[in-house]
């Protein structure tokens, strides 16, 4: 019993020292930086992004940017024809797409059935 008591006392001292070191590490920010460097780098980046002010545009720069954007938009829309025909063309387009999708779906089902039958047939031939 005395030997066990002595061992418990030694282990208790050792555990107390480990707890004290752990508590010191928890209070020190450098420990966390060493343990989780990527999180701190991300946090520093986010804080820097929020703190650093944006470059202010001069009125002339803003007007120039807006006119460039307007020119780009006009040049892109010139090439696209506006849809005409109204509801009739919309219904035709919808019906055409519906028929096309149905045909593709039917073809895929037939192909899957054919491939499945070929696989079953080949496994039956292998077993024979």
């Amino acid at each position: 019993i005395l030997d066990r008591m002595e061992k418990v006392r030694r282990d208790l001292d050792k555990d107390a020292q480990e707890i004290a070191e752990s508590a010191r590490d928890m209070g020190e920010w450098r420990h966390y930086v060493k343990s989780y460097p990527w999180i701190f780098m991300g946090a520093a980046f986010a804080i820097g992004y929020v703190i650093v002010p944006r470059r202010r545009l001069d009125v002339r720069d803003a007007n120039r940017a807006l006119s460039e954007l307007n020119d780009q938009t006009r040049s892109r829309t010139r090439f696209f024809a506006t849809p005409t025909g109204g509801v009739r063309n919309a219904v035709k387009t919808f019906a055409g797409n519906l028929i096309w999708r149905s045909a593709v779906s039917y073809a895929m089902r037939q192909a899957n059935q054919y491939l499945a039958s070929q696989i079953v047939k080949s496994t039956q031939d292998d077993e024979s």
Side-chain angles (χ1 to χ4, degrees), residues 5-77:
M5 293 288 284
E6 182 65 20
K7 184 179 177 186
V8 167
R9 284 189 195 112
R10 273 189 267 132
D11 289 342
L12 187 61
D13 289 338
K14 192 177 188 181
D15 290 342
Q17 288 175 355
E18 289 177 3
I19 290 172
E21 288 176 10
S22 175
R24 268 185 258 129
D25 286 344
M26 290 175 90
E28 196 168 316
W29 62 271
R30 289 183 184 103
H31 168 73
Y32 292 107
V33 172
K34 288 178 184 177
S35 299
Y36 310 102
W38 290 107
I39 293 174
F40 278 87
M41 283 179 53
F45 177 80
I47 290 169
Y49 182 79
V50 170
I51 290 175
V52 174
R54 292 184 183 192
R55 183 177 67 110
R56 295 196 179 220
L57 289 177
D58 192 32
V59 173
R60 285 173 287 189
D61 293 335
N63 287 336
R64 189 174 329 125
L66 287 174
S67 67
E68 288 174 8
L69 181 63
N70 193 14
D71 292 342
Q72 289 174 357
T73 306
R74 282 187 185 156
S75 66
R76 287 182 186 157
T77 55

